[in-house]
Amino acid sequence: MSQAMDFDTLRQAMADNYEQPEGPARNARAEQLLVEAEKLNIPLAVIEALGHQLKVYNYSSEKDKMFVPFARLLRMWDERPEDFDEYEIHSLHWVFKWMSAGMLDQPHIPLASIEKWLGEMEHRYRLAGHSERAVRGAEFSVAAHLGDLERAERAYTAWLAADRDTMADCHACELHSQGWWRAVRGADAEALELWGPVLEGEYTCAHEPHTALASSLLPLLRLGRVDEARSHHLRGFRLVRPMESMRGAYADHVEFCALSGNEARALELLAERPSYFTDSGDPRSKLDFMAVTALLMDRLTGLGLGDQAVPGPAGRAWTSGELAVHARGEALSLAARFDARNGTSYVSERARARMDQPALVDRLPLGVRSTRPARAGQRPTAPVPLPRSVTEAAAVASSEPDLSALLTEARRLSALRSPEAVEAWAAVSRAAEGHELDLRDRAEIADHAAMERGLEGIELFHRAAELYAEAGDPGEALAARSRAAYIHALSGATEEALTAASELYEKVLALFEEGGTGVSQTASVLVGRARILMHRVDEAEEGAGAEAAGSAEAGGDVVAAAEEAARELLALAEPHVADVPLASRAAEAQAMLGELAARSGDAEEATDRLSLAVETFVAAGLPWFAVEYDSRLAGIALRLGDTDRAERAARAALDHAGAYLEPMGQAQLHLQLAEILGTSGQLRPASEQALEAAHWADEAGQAGTLGAWARHQLGGFLLRQGRWAEAAEVLESALPDLTTDMHGDGAIVQTRWWLGDCLTELGEHREAAEHWLRAADIAQHWPEQRDHAMLAHLAAEALGHAGLTAQADQAYARAGDLWRGLGNAHGLVRALRARAWATARTDGGLDGARELMGAAVRECESAIAGAPLGSGSPSRAPAGSGSPEDSDARPRLVSELGHTYRQFGDLVARSVPSDAEEASTRVVFEEALGYITKAISVFGSLGSDGLDARTGAELAAGWLEADLGRATAAMARARGVLSAYAGLEGETAEARCAEAGNMVKLMEAGQER
């Protein structure tokens, strides 16, 4: 480090260091700067360097180091108080509070020393004339830590009763502490009410609302306010993540995940902060962290995952079972040290209670990717529980085989078309092993077993058909062969299957005519043939069915054949809808006709038919079969722009699905409803449905496919609600799983675009620029380059906000070239203006800036000349996506020219250095006034549409006139503004008139002098 560092340089170095991330590197730099301060032989320099060192220690994992610089500061104050300026005197007294809390956090500091320090703090505050509010607050902290509840309540009351003065903690910190105490005392609702102003952003500070958000998590869960808890976790963790000193708040987030069924995410959090397992500078927060680690590991062990590898202290590999023991031991050891110091058992009792908490929520979806660990050795459970009747029959069968009870129940469920029939027949099959059965029983068992085997069930269907025939039921035999034919068609042999189905169709009709079989069996054959014909339509549409289309029955095509088969099925089954199986056939026939109508573009017919199918299924007590057609109806209605009907159909699909839908189906339905709600602008319910979709996709093992898309959608909905931090967390979680092959590069670009929007709102401009630039790199390969240009422009703005002037200039140049190629004058002009401002701050200086502003003027004038009145040239602003196409470009171009002149003038005026000579200053101000006068003229040509812009320029010109010593001209411009707004109301009018009135008063006062 240079020995030539002076006091000002030292101060700047300390300011720069304080802006660095918390941690040992910042602390080491503070130690170096103290050495530099001591070289200056200026007491105040040493005082400021000690204060800086103390601050960075306090906000780090090395809090135990802050006592040394404080002791030195206090000694310097006692020996030479005149060396301290007003700010350092205030700072010295302010950090007394840090010392009090810091002593509590260090179990090696005796309790007597802490109590003595409280007295010292009270004495010094009284001498300095400060209120006792901070002292009573410190006493409350000591008593609360000790578990001396009576003293804590007394101190709490005295703390709040004392006057607030400059030594009181900020409102945000005080409210957090007050709410924390109410939560400790079991008053969760009161705690949340106290935290309200902090959580809502009314009061903030360096560590708030970070800690309030973390502290609120469990109270919200205990009160059942799970949506708020989720939001607070996503918002709060994003704030806490980069701050090393916030291990206690970080632990709160781990605890929340462990108690809400998000163990996997809790493990991710542990993995992000390996140093938290070993950092020893703040024993109290280490106790918190190890306690929640033990809680989490016990949760995993309870799930049968004691052997799962988990993140832990460096130096060895850990399983959850091993870390559970280690973390509990560490936590209790630390607690015992505190209790030994305090002479109580309070800290240990609270640590044990924290580690032994039961889960508060079985599973709270968070929106970010995090699949819940399954119990070791546990297979995924079926979504539909085994019916009690089957369970009871199976229990009887296990001790005394009674196939008749199982068969009776299975047949009953089959007659009702219940999803529970699957397991009922499986129970029959298991119980039948080793038993002699009659032909009919064997046929039914084979038939239902085949239904569950897909392509492997074809031969079993044929075996069932043989058994039915031997049992004297030729109609059911034909039905079984028809089922085999349909499965055969699904294997790719559509024409072969159709030939077989047609033969079966002829046979069953003849048999039915003779009275040899019933309507149900005949309908089963007809539905099989109709399904094959519908499958052939699918193949033809996909281009794989040319051969099938060429062999269509004489006088028709594949669609006509399918429609005829569906109508024939409907005619047979519809008169018998009182019978559940036949009602199911009639509903399916209506659905087929609806699908065919939709394919032909007849949306009205499709809607009517599908609605009839749904109504028939529901009336027959088969709502689960209606789900597919509810969803289809929703899609058709949405395409027709009928969002109300689409929403009703999508909600009906979820209602009709009940408990019978697999997780993947649940994910798809929730996502469809989310998209419908989003289309109609119902953003909060849309985000709730997208959240459910992401959860169910994760449960289905599709986190990286459908789950990623659901998170993409969820992030967009949250963004549109202004929930920036939540949206950013969700979008960042989705991004790694989004792929071009699965989701398309448009989804990746949109996700990065949205992330840039979120991060900009959160003040993370460099990161926003990175996302926009990476999105632009993808979009540059698209045929349409508008998005590429917009992304480059957005990235340039973000780079500028991040202070990266050179990089911003490059991005603006890229955007400008793209806007020029697109013929978008607005984007090009704005890029040129932005480059001018950037150039004025770099080596290009004012001359380079003038050249760029001049180019912007010329581009505007050229575009205006080429845009006749009433032109419909489309144009979109570069600062966002989705703005409507402009129906009249010329007025906007004229306005753009006015703004360019106005900015030209502002840029020139601001280029004058503070130490410039008066003569040179006048020359520059005259030049600036000329540009702003041109702006006034241009805005004036727009009439009332340019009023606000014109008056703003008039006032800017007035201040320049005043700087040039022309008070009369300045007042004339101000009075012109007042006249322009005479009789008008509104925020802009009020602001302009207030500024104009102030200008007049100042000029008049100057003339009087």
Side-chain angles (χ1 to χ4, degrees):
M1 190 178 296
S2 171
Q3 295 185 353
M5 180 179 285
D6 58 22
F7 199 178
D8 288 339
T9 305
L10 174 70
R11 282 174 163 164
Q12 185 59 52
M14 289 189 291
D16 292 342
N17 189 48
Y18 195 70
E19 294 301 316
Q20 297 303 306
E22 297 176 350
R26 187 172 75 159
N27 295 353
R29 174 66 170 156
E31 293 163 2
Q32 293 172 348
L33 291 173
L34 176 59
V35 173
E36 289 299 311
E38 290 169 335
K39 295 176 182 178
L40 296 176
N41 198 29
I42 300 175
L44 184 59
V46 175
I47 291 168
E48 291 185 12
L50 285 168
H52 173 65
Q53 190 181 81
L54 196 156
K55 289 176 184 176
V56 299
Y57 282 155
N58 185 61
Y59 295 117
S60 78
S61 61
E62 299 179 307
K63 290 188 177 183
D64 55 332
K65 292 184 175 182
M66 66 181 178
F67 300 106
V68 172
F70 180 75
R72 185 175 172 186
L73 274 173
L74 195 59
R75 185 171 63 255
M76 293 176 72
W77 166 255
D78 287 339
E79 293 174 354
R80 290 182 57 85
E82 64 272 15
D83 289 341
F84 288 69
D85 63 16
E86 184 177 350
Y87 177 81
E88 293 303 327
I89 293 172
H90 179 274
S91 296
L92 176 69
H93 286 82
W94 181 268
V95 296
F96 266 83
K97 299 178 294 183
W98 294 359
M99 295 303 106
S100 174
M103 288 179 178
L104 277 180
D105 295 344
Q106 305 294 329
H108 69 277
I109 297 179
L111 183 59
S113 297
I114 297 172
E115 295 287 4
K116 181 181 178 181
W117 179 255
L118 274 177
E120 177 76 8
M121 179 181 176
E122 183 172 8
H123 172 68
R124 289 180 179 267
Y125 271 41
R126 187 179 298 113
L127 287 178
H130 296 307
S131 162
E132 68 170 9
R133 189 178 182 93
V135 177
R136 299 285 75 83
E139 182 188 5
F140 159 74
S141 297
V142 172
H145 171 69
L146 298 174
D148 187 342
L149 303 185
E150 290 186 6
R151 182 186 179 191
E153 287 289 359
R154 288 196 305 272
Y156 181 87
T157 301
W159 166 34
L160 299 189
D163 293 335
R164 281 188 57 82
D165 65 353
T166 57
M167 283 297 112
D169 282 340
C170 72
H171 282 290
C173 288
E174 283 204 337
L175 288 172
H176 172 255
S177 297
Q178 294 164 24
W180 171 83
W181 181 239
R182 300 326 301 159
V184 167
R185 302 291 279 157
D188 288 335
E190 291 181 34
L192 289 164
E193 185 175 356
L194 283 165
W195 289 326
V198 182
L199 298 172
E200 293 165 9
E202 183 178 346
Y203 299 121
T204 62
C205 69
H207 281 184
E208 292 296 350
H210 315 42
T211 53
L213 286 164
S215 296
S216 72
L217 296 172
L218 295 198
L220 286 168
L221 285 184
R222 288 192 291 261
L223 293 172
R225 293 160 60 175
V226 294
D227 290 338
E228 292 173 78
R230 177 194 304 110
S231 174
H232 288 195
H233 170 62
L234 295 177
R235 286 174 55 203
F237 183 67
R238 189 171 192 85
L239 294 171
V240 167
R241 179 189 278 137
M243 303 183 73
E244 184 198 48
S245 64
M246 301 200 71
R247 179 164 54 181
Y250 199 100
D252 290 341
H253 286 277
V254 175
E255 179 182 37
F256 164 78
C257 291
L259 297 178
S260 63
N262 288 285
E263 298 88 351
R265 179 164 172 83
L267 288 174
E268 293 171 5
L269 268 56
L270 292 187
E272 284 191 31
R273 281 293 191 182
S275 63
Y276 277 176
F277 289 104
T278 53
D279 285 344
S280 58
D282 183 11
R284 195 172 182 182
S285 69
K286 185 179 181 182
L287 166 57
D288 292 334
F289 188 77
M290 299 309 290
V292 300
T293 298
L295 168 68
L296 172 61
M297 296 306 131
D298 284 344
R299 291 278 302 159
L300 292 172
T301 302
L303 290 170
L305 299 170
D307 294 329
Q308 176 173 319
V310 294
R316 56 161 290 185
W318 295 89
T319 66
S320 54
E322 293 167 341
L323 187 55
V325 174
H326 172 78
R328 182 174 286 268
E330 283 278 297
L332 291 177
S333 175
L334 284 166
R337 290 175 58 197
F338 280 107
D339 283 340
R341 188 267 306 273
N342 299 340
T344 68
S345 60
Y346 184 70
V347 176
S348 294
E349 290 168 2
R350 287 183 58 79
R352 286 192 178 90
R354 190 171 197 179
M355 291 186 286
D356 296 338
Q357 292 175 94
L360 293 172
V361 179
D362 178 61
R363 178 70 161 128
L364 174 60
L366 300 177
V368 293
R369 183 178 182 178
S370 186
T371 305
R372 186 176 192 176
R375 293 178 184 273
Q378 180 186 25
R379 298 177 62 187
T381 57
V384 181
L386 193 65
R388 176 179 292 183
S389 53
V390 175
T391 306
E392 292 171 350
V396 173
S398 64
S399 58
E400 195 177 304
D402 184 1
L403 288 179
S404 61
L406 291 172
L407 279 165
T408 298
E409 179 61 13
R411 286 169 180 151
R412 183 185 73 83
L413 293 171
S414 291
L416 294 174
R417 293 290 192 269
S418 170
E420 297 172 348
V422 174
E423 182 56 38
W425 281 106
V428 169
S429 181
R430 291 191 297 269
E433 294 179 6
H435 292 272
E436 290 292 331
L437 299 173
D438 61 30
L439 289 171
R440 179 73 188 194
D441 294 342
R442 289 161 58 196
E444 290 185 83
I445 291 173
D447 199 6
H448 286 89
M451 294 177 190
E452 297 304 307
R453 297 190 183 182
L455 297 179
E456 297 177 0
I458 294 176
E459 291 302 320
L460 199 52
F461 274 129
H462 286 298
R463 176 58 181 154
E466 293 171 1
L467 292 170
Y468 280 129
E470 289 183 46
D473 192 342
E476 203 61 64
L478 292 172
R481 293 190 187 280
S482 179
R483 288 188 278 273
Y486 176 58
I487 298 299
H488 193 42
L490 296 181
S491 71
T494 305
E495 289 306 306
E496 185 180 336
L498 184 56
T499 299
S502 297
E503 292 176 2
L504 296 169
Y505 165 76
E506 296 293 342
K507 289 180 180 180
V508 80
L509 288 182
L511 189 62
F512 180 62
E513 185 69 24
E514 297 169 359
T517 192
V519 176
S520 181
Q521 291 80 2
T522 305
S524 293
V525 175
L526 266 60
V527 79
R529 177 171 171 270
R531 288 170 177 170
I532 295 171
L533 288 166
M534 291 293 293
H535 179 64
R536 191 170 65 158
V537 172
D538 291 336
E539 289 183 326
E541 283 197 349
E542 294 167 2
E547 183 180 345
S551 62
E553 297 172 9
D557 57 16
V558 290
V559 174
E563 182 177 347
E564 182 182 351
R567 291 188 184 280
E568 188 174 5
L569 173 62
L570 181 60
L572 175 69
E574 194 169 31
H576 306 281
V577 291
D579 178 82
V580 171
L582 288 171
S584 175
R585 302 303 186 206
E588 187 172 354
Q590 293 281 17
M592 289 177 180
L593 292 170
E595 290 288 349
L596 292 170
R599 292 166 191 262
S600 69
D602 190 344
E604 185 175 348
E605 173 72 7
T607 300
D608 290 343
R609 289 288 185 180
L610 290 170
S611 297
L612 281 171
V614 168
E615 292 168 8
T616 304
F617 277 127
V618 173
L622 305 172
W624 45 86
F625 286 133
V627 173
E628 177 184 352
Y629 308 112
D630 283 319
S631 180
R632 188 82 169 99
L633 271 170
I636 293 172
L638 188 61
R639 284 198 301 276
L640 293 173
D642 189 348
T643 54
D644 289 342
R645 185 167 189 172
E647 180 183 344
R648 289 196 301 273
R651 290 192 183 279
L654 283 166
D655 290 341
H656 291 153
Y660 298 114
L661 200 60
E662 294 285 347
M664 190 61 174
Q666 290 277 4
Q668 291 167 335
L669 290 181
H670 281 291
L671 187 55
Q672 181 184 41
L673 179 54
E675 291 171 344
I676 291 168
L677 292 167
T679 300
S680 63
Q682 301 178 66
L683 298 178
R684 182 169 288 278
S687 60
E688 292 169 356
Q689 294 299 322
L691 177 69
E692 286 294 320
H695 161 66
W696 285 110
D698 290 350
E699 293 292 305
Q702 297 297 317
T705 52
L706 185 63
W709 180 252
R711 275 180 271 280
H712 163 82
Q713 296 282 60
L714 173 58
F717 294 141
L718 292 170
L719 176 144
R720 290 165 64 188
Q721 296 173 66
R723 296 160 67 178
W724 314 111
E726 296 170 70
E729 284 291 308
V730 171
L731 291 168
E732 287 172 347
S733 177
L735 190 57
D737 290 322
L738 293 172
T739 65
T740 299
D741 291 342
M742 176 63 65
H743 307 96
D745 56 8
I748 298 172
V749 168
Q750 183 65 81
T751 298
R752 289 196 181 278
W753 196 323
W754 282 338
L755 263 172
D757 291 340
C758 292
L759 296 173
T760 295
E761 294 291 341
L762 295 171
E764 300 174 35
H765 299 293
R766 184 192 294 262
E767 294 78 6
E770 179 181 350
H771 283 292
W772 280 329
L773 287 173
R774 293 183 67 176
D777 288 343
I778 298 173
Q780 69 179 325
H781 302 295
W782 294 354
E784 167 57 55
Q785 288 291 285
R786 187 183 301 274
D787 285 340
H788 181 196
M790 295 175 76
L791 286 162
H793 202 121
L794 287 168
E797 290 179 352
L799 289 166
H801 287 305
L804 302 172
T805 306
Q807 295 93 320
D809 183 67
Q810 292 175 2
Y812 276 125
R814 174 182 178 180
D817 290 342
L818 290 165
W819 291 128
R820 180 179 283 108
L822 288 165
N824 188 315
H826 302 282
L828 173 57
V829 167
R830 293 178 187 187
L832 288 168
R833 290 199 309 243
R835 290 189 66 195
W837 284 104
T839 299
R841 297 191 294 270
T842 61
D843 295 339
L846 185 58
D847 289 340
R850 281 194 180 100
E851 183 178 344
L852 287 164
M853 278 292 186
V857 169
R858 291 191 295 274
E859 291 291 345
C860 274
E861 292 174 338
S862 175
I864 292 170
L869 288 171
S871 73
S873 303
S875 177
R876 290 169 72 186
S881 62
S883 60
E885 296 295 333
D886 198 338
S887 61
D888 190 354
R890 186 181 180 88
R892 287 190 61 208
L893 289 167
V894 171
S895 177
E896 205 72 75
L897 177 61
H899 286 296
T900 303
Y901 277 129
R902 167 67 193 273
Q903 289 195 33
F904 207 156
D906 288 344
L907 183 145
V908 170
R910 294 179 191 180
S911 69
V912 178
S914 58
D915 58 351
E917 294 181 358
E918 182 178 353
S920 60
T921 297
R922 291 188 65 85
V923 171
V924 175
F925 280 0
E926 289 286 7
E927 180 188 1
L929 183 58
Y931 289 122
I932 294 179
T933 301
K934 289 181 179 181
I936 293 168
S937 177
V938 172
F939 289 135
S941 71
L942 294 172
S944 60
D945 289 341
L947 174 62
D948 292 340
R950 179 178 67 78
T951 55
E954 285 278 15
L955 290 170
W959 291 118
L960 283 171
E961 299 274 22
D963 288 334
L964 289 166
R966 299 198 285 260
T968 301
M971 285 191 288
R973 291 185 182 276
R975 288 180 176 129
V977 171
L978 292 169
S979 176
Y981 283 111
L984 298 181
E985 297 180 352
E987 186 176 342
T988 301
E990 291 176 5
R992 293 279 195 274
C993 289
E995 185 177 352
N998 185 44
M999 185 182 296
V1000 170
K1001 289 180 182 178
L1002 287 173
M1003 295 303 101
E1004 289 177 341
Q1007 288 179 334
E1008 291 176 0
R1009 288 196 298 271

